[in-house]
Amino acid sequence: MQRIFSGVQPTGNLHLGNYLGAIRNWVRLQNEFECIFCMVDLHAITVWQDPKDLVKNTREVAAGMIAAGIDADKHIVFNQSMVPAHAQLAWVFNCVARIGWLNRMTQFKEKAGKHKENASVGLFAYPNLMSADILAYKATHVPVGEDQKQHLELARDTAQKFNSDYGIDFFPQPEPLIFGAATRVMSLRDGAKKMSKSDESDYSRINMTDDADTIALKVRKAKTDLFPMPDSLDGLEGRPEASNLIGIYAALSDKDKALVASQFAGRQFSEFKAELVDLAVAVLGPINTEMNRLMDDPSHIDAILKKGAERANAIAEPILKDVYDIVGFLRP
Ligand code: TYM
């Protein structure tokens, strides 16, 4: 069976972008693939994290995944720092990938901002750790949102360079799986910015922990323009906020975006928003309730993660040993 690996950073609340761009797709892929899902806590500390928050967020993200429908008995759910092979393989990849490749990563440029010299070395080398996450399991498919595409290309280049440097067909070329009506969910306050955990304004995103009243308030306050709803996708040209809200509706209702545009053609945004609230609450409400129930018992979540880490280790450790042999590390 082909194998999936994907991860999410436990740096704050899961939001609608994480759900529609990634986690919901993971749930749907569970029947076709052997899956490994990871809370990437090693990635999280590339930017400062309060240690107490990191612990809490790791459990919360795990609860969110399981509440959304990930089957942690059938598949593997764990946190990255519990499996040493990630960091160990990342070091090897630090020596395979080229500085020029990393220099091209747009996410580093965005996250580091103007003062690159002050960014952590980890933030720069982040994509190599991500390649290691995937290739430590020889994963063949990686379901992610649009924003991770460039990192995935780097993982493919790294796998290929490792294979050619050592003259062995060892790592597969992992395929990105980017699908659905909302592969890039934008901020509710600015249609040019991605919805993200790190946006200062909580009104920019819908969190998986938001209750119905909060969702209603955020959708009502979401930025739109003064025009009525268009009757086709062409009418969304130059209207990023309108396009984003229609995309969210389409993804939540599992409909084509063009169909949603024609359904609401000519209507006022206020009417559309009222229906979007009902839809969002209907989809996210049950997940929220289940997440809160799981969070009441942290020891249960910890037990799931511990078992997941044991299973992950059992796959990654032999692959890392092979890598060490290929590279020529003496293991007396
Ligand atoms: P992270 O934690 O930023 O996001 C987790 C997943 O959610 C997707 N996503 C979005 N999709 C659509 N619209 C958005 N606004 C949006 N925001 C986030 C992301 O594309 C991602 O799929 N580097 C990764 C984590 C990672 C990883 C990996 C992923 C580490 N190692 C190995 C795959 C394989 C990240 O920061 O995701």
Side-chain angles (χ1 to χ4, degrees), residues 56-261:
K56 180 175 156 285
N57 289 334
T58 303
R59 289 196 182 109
E60 199 167 283
V61 169
M65 275 188 202
I66 294 164
I70 298 296
D71 182 345
D73 287 327
K74 192 165 166 211
H75 300 285
I76 297 178
V77 175
F78 74 110
N79 59 309
Q80 191 183 24
S81 59
M82 290 285 287
V83 178
H86 293 250
Q88 291 168 313
L89 185 57
W91 180 257
V92 176
F93 287 167
N94 281 342
C95 303
V96 172
R98 306 289 92 184
I99 290 176
W101 301 0
L102 294 175
N103 273 336
R104 287 198 284 276
M105 296 295 113
T106 51
Q107 191 153 308
F108 173 74
K109 290 181 197 155
E110 280 161 27
K111 287 203 175 178
K114 282 195 193 121
H115 304 290
K116 294 199 179 40
E117 294 75 15
N118 290 339
S120 72
V121 175
L123 190 67
F124 184 69
Y126 179 116
N128 290 340
L129 178 58
M130 187 161 154
S131 306
D133 298 339
I134 299 163
L135 295 169
Y137 302 91
K138 293 191 172 179
T140 52
H141 293 80
V142 186
V144 282
E146 182 84 43
D147 60 337
Q148 297 301 315
K149 204 172 165 194
Q150 197 184 30
H151 290 159
L152 255 292
E153 276 157 18
L154 189 132
R156 290 167 63 86
D157 289 346
T158 303
Q160 195 175 29
K161 183 160 189 300
F162 179 94
N163 289 351
S164 82
D165 282 357
Y166 292 100
I168 181 172
D169 187 18
F170 185 73
F171 285 121
Q173 289 271 295
E175 287 285 340
L177 294 176
I178 301 173
F179 62 94
T183 55
R184 188 174 176 82
V185 179
M186 307 309 278
S187 156
L188 299 182
R189 308 299 294 160
D190 179 350
K193 260 170 59 181
K194 188 179 75 168
M195 183 177 286
S196 113
K197 300 183 198 98
S198 53
D199 196 312
E200 287 149 21
S201 167
D202 202 47
Y203 284 100
S204 69
R205 62 185 158 259
I206 293 175
N207 299 311
M208 301 297 286
T209 46
D210 287 343
D211 60 19
D213 289 344
T214 312
I215 293 175
L217 187 66
K218 287 179 176 176
V219 172
R220 247 184 279 126
K221 275 182 169 276
K223 189 174 165 195
T224 41
D225 48 43
L226 297 170
F227 305 106
M229 309 270 300
D231 53 10
S232 72
L233 292 187
D234 293 344
L236 287 172
E237 206 58 33
R239 301 177 66 186
E241 286 85 12
S243 174
N244 187 40
L245 290 181
I246 293 178
I248 291 174
Y249 189 102
L252 285 171
S253 61
D254 258 329
K255 285 186 185 148
D256 196 58
K257 204 169 161 183
L259 191 74
V260 175

